[in-house]
Amino acid sequence: MYMKVFIETYGCQMNFADSDEMFLHLSARGAVRTDTLEDADAVLINTCTVRDHAEHRALSFLGRLMKWKRQNPSRIIIFTGCAAQRLGERLKKRYPFLNILCGAKDIEQFSQRLDQSGLFNAPGTPAPASSGLSAYATIMRGCDFACTYCIVPSVRGPVKCLPAQTILADVSAKAARGAKEITLLGQTVNAYRDGNVTFADLLNRVSDIPGVERVRFTSPHPIYFTPDFLNAVKHNPKIARHAHIPVQSGSSEVLKAMKRGYTRELFLEKIDALKACGFSVSTDIIVGFPTETEQDFEQTLSLVDRAGFMTAYCFKYSPRQGTPAAQMKLLSQNILEKRLAILLNKVRGLADASYQAQIGTVQEVLMETPHKGRSSSNYWVDFKESYPVGSVVKTTIEKAAGTLLYARETHGK
Ligand code: SF4
């Protein structure tokens, strides 16, 4: 009889990749996944603490599990990730029914935590699960920056890169199970280095693995788009032409107060270099950082005009306890709301304009259904003809409507 595990993940793609990895350790101990909480013998909650809201949702879910556990006290509750790291042993006092706690910095010891709990069988070989067309591979953990609004460095610690051999073995296994598109994950993913192996080398080696058709990465930091990286891109069509690069502000003064490590000018220089290689770029922007003046905000608006982002996700600044910026005097909610509305109004037209700009271009599309696939630069493309799922089709874009492009003619691979 298998143990059934219900998994609830909050936060970023790295957390989803961590949940998959933790499930492998559970499946090696005879567990299978269930989507029904009532059927489950164990629950794994993998948490995020970057925003207050995500942490509250995870804790409120944990609170609700008290009743679930009371119905059957042999049920197991595992709480992991960034909120587990930030709140630590305090959680066990507040939620005594919690069985296993494993913070983000200790995720590599997850397997030992399971064994130490005495609640699971001895590990065997996990059943190989299908990867699907796309798979994630975590290549580093932690962050060496100290952005003044961000809680990540204190909960995840400094950068630790996984050995290149470990990553290549992980990707090979995923490709053997059917993955065609691999997304490399890390908090500052393009800062990756293992001895002499740079991020550019790693991209090339991953794309050489049989079966891999495309390599994506997230989240990059602007300063690590080096000539070495651009050179790899120019010679390797399997490196996807899309990057999500959080800019956060268009004002060099605000970027300095945020300790982002670049100026407005440097950011634009990097974007121009990427666009020259065919990249589309999306971004995140924070409005109303405590030091942001009207002039700073105007700089953000003008950066949006200048950069030509494909999309921008905009957020009102909200302080995170434990970060340096949380000590600063907040701007009024009125100002935050007014600036957010102006910015949202500006970014609303970005997607339309960027889809229209694709008309007439030639794109390589990885088919995700018989009639639809995603281009290297991350646009959905619709075909009249059907193609095998997982194949790469080269096509000219005929028209754009909403958030969809339509293929005109195909050119084979
Ligand atoms: S680069 Fe800055 S925002 Fe990103 S995780 Fe590191 S400290 Fe946080």
Side-chain angles (χ1 to χ4, degrees):
M1 186 65 174
Y2 293 113
M3 168 185 278
K4 293 189 199 140
V5 185
F6 179 91
I7 301 180
E8 185 78 350
T9 306
Y10 298 86
C12 62
Q13 284 157 317
M14 280 191 77
N15 264 15
F16 282 86
D18 284 347
S19 293
D20 287 347
E21 200 178 311
M22 287 189 278
F23 175 67
L24 278 184
H25 293 294
L26 290 162
S27 87
R29 290 161 175 85
V32 293
R33 225 168 153 153
T34 176
D35 292 333
T36 317
L37 181 62
E38 281 315 307
D39 281 354
D41 306 298
V43 169
L44 166 66
I45 311 170
N46 191 16
T47 62
C48 169
T49 194
V50 169
R51 290 180 206 288
D52 244 353
H53 182 61
E55 189 172 298
H56 281 143
R57 279 172 58 220
L59 291 175
S60 114
F61 180 55
L62 178 59
R64 292 201 302 278
L65 288 181
M66 185 159 74
K67 195 167 153 218
W68 175 84
K69 177 121 177 173
R70 235 189 252 133
Q71 289 163 353
N72 179 354
S74 66
R75 285 170 158 170
I76 299 167
I77 301 177
I78 309 170
F79 198 80
T80 63
C82 293
Q85 185 70 46
R86 195 179 87 78
L87 298 165
E89 291 298 315
R90 276 177 284 169
L91 280 165
K92 282 212 167 146
K93 283 205 185 108
R94 197 163 143 203
Y95 304 96
F97 52 89
L98 192 55
N99 297 96
I100 301 172
L101 190 62
C102 185
K105 284 182 191 162
D106 302 325
I107 239 62
E108 280 148 38
Q109 276 117 51
F110 182 71
S111 179
Q112 285 106 296
R113 296 279 163 94
L114 296 180
D115 291 340
Q116 283 158 5
S117 73
L119 297 167
F120 293 88
N121 299 330
T125 311
S130 151
S131 282
L133 203 61
S134 304
Y136 294 121
T138 298
I139 67 166
M140 61 151 68
R141 297 181 190 282
C143 179
D144 284 343
F145 284 81
C147 300
T148 51
Y149 56 84
C150 181
I151 192 88
V152 167
S154 69
V155 290
R156 289 204 172 236
V159 164
K160 260 171 72 187
C161 292
L162 271 69
Q165 285 314 322
T166 307
I167 298 165
L168 296 174
D170 176 33
V171 174
S172 298
K174 286 171 174 155
R177 296 200 298 268
K180 304 266 179 212
E181 179 179 87
I182 302 293
T183 304
L184 304 181
L185 298 175
Q187 225 77 50
T188 52
V189 70
N190 50 345
Y192 178 86
R193 190 161 196 116
D194 174 33
N196 291 331
V197 183
T198 63
F199 182 60
D201 297 331
L202 187 69
L203 285 169
N204 284 333
R205 291 199 198 176
V206 166
S207 60
D208 281 345
I209 291 173
V212 173
E213 294 287 354
R214 184 175 286 163
V215 190
R216 297 189 181 277
F217 54 87
T218 199
S219 297
H221 191 282
I223 67 167
Y224 294 108
F225 287 117
T226 56
D228 181 40
F229 168 84
L230 295 171
N231 192 40
V233 167
K234 279 178 196 145
H235 295 98
N236 186 347
K238 288 189 180 177
I239 301 174
R241 272 34 178 184
H242 170 256
H244 181 81
I245 318 171
V247 62
Q248 309 300 19
S249 170
S251 152
S252 292
E253 284 306 313
V254 173
L255 291 170
K256 195 165 156 202
M258 288 176 165
K259 288 203 176 162
R260 287 290 294 165
Y262 53 85
T263 59
R264 168 194 175 93
E265 291 71 29
L266 185 71
F267 182 84
L268 286 170
E269 208 177 280
K270 300 286 181 183
I271 297 288
D272 288 346
L274 288 169
K275 286 185 140 187
C277 297
F279 269 73
S280 64
V281 176
S282 50
T283 197
D284 293 335
I285 301 173
I286 297 173
V287 289
F289 188 74
T291 63
E292 186 185 85
T293 62
E294 276 299 330
Q295 290 76 10
D296 292 322
F297 179 60
E298 291 292 331
Q299 292 271 296
T300 296
L301 297 177
S302 79
L303 181 122
V304 170
D305 285 334
R306 162 74 172 74
F309 296 119
M310 110 193 246
T311 42
Y313 300 94
C314 308
F315 306 92
K316 271 190 298 186
Y317 171 75
S318 80
R320 198 70 193 89
Q321 284 319 309
T323 61
Q327 311 296 323
M328 298 178 182
K329 189 168 179 300
L330 293 177
L331 298 179
S332 75
Q333 276 304 314
N334 249 350
I335 294 181
L336 262 66
E337 264 151 38
K338 195 179 112 224
R339 289 184 189 168
L340 182 65
I342 295 170
L343 184 61
L344 285 175
N345 200 30
K346 183 171 271 303
V347 304
R348 203 161 286 134
L350 289 181
D352 262 8
S354 84
Y355 274 76
Q356 292 295 329
Q358 301 301 306
I359 297 172
T361 62
V362 176
Q363 300 285 334
E364 285 201 354
V365 182
L366 178 62
M367 301 305 291
E368 298 198 13
T369 73
H371 291 282
K372 212 183 267 183
R374 229 160 12 120
S375 72
S376 176
S377 44
N378 214 20
Y379 294 92
W380 282 101
V381 182
D382 190 84
F383 291 79
K384 275 196 211 93
E385 310 87 350
S386 74
Y387 295 93
V389 171
S391 61
V392 176
V393 181
K394 208 170 186 180
T395 187
T396 305
I397 302 301
E398 181 176 34
K399 62 174 183 170
T403 49
L404 198 55
L405 301 177
Y406 292 86
R408 180 168 62 207
E409 59 193 77
T410 54
H411 315 282
K413 171 134 195 224

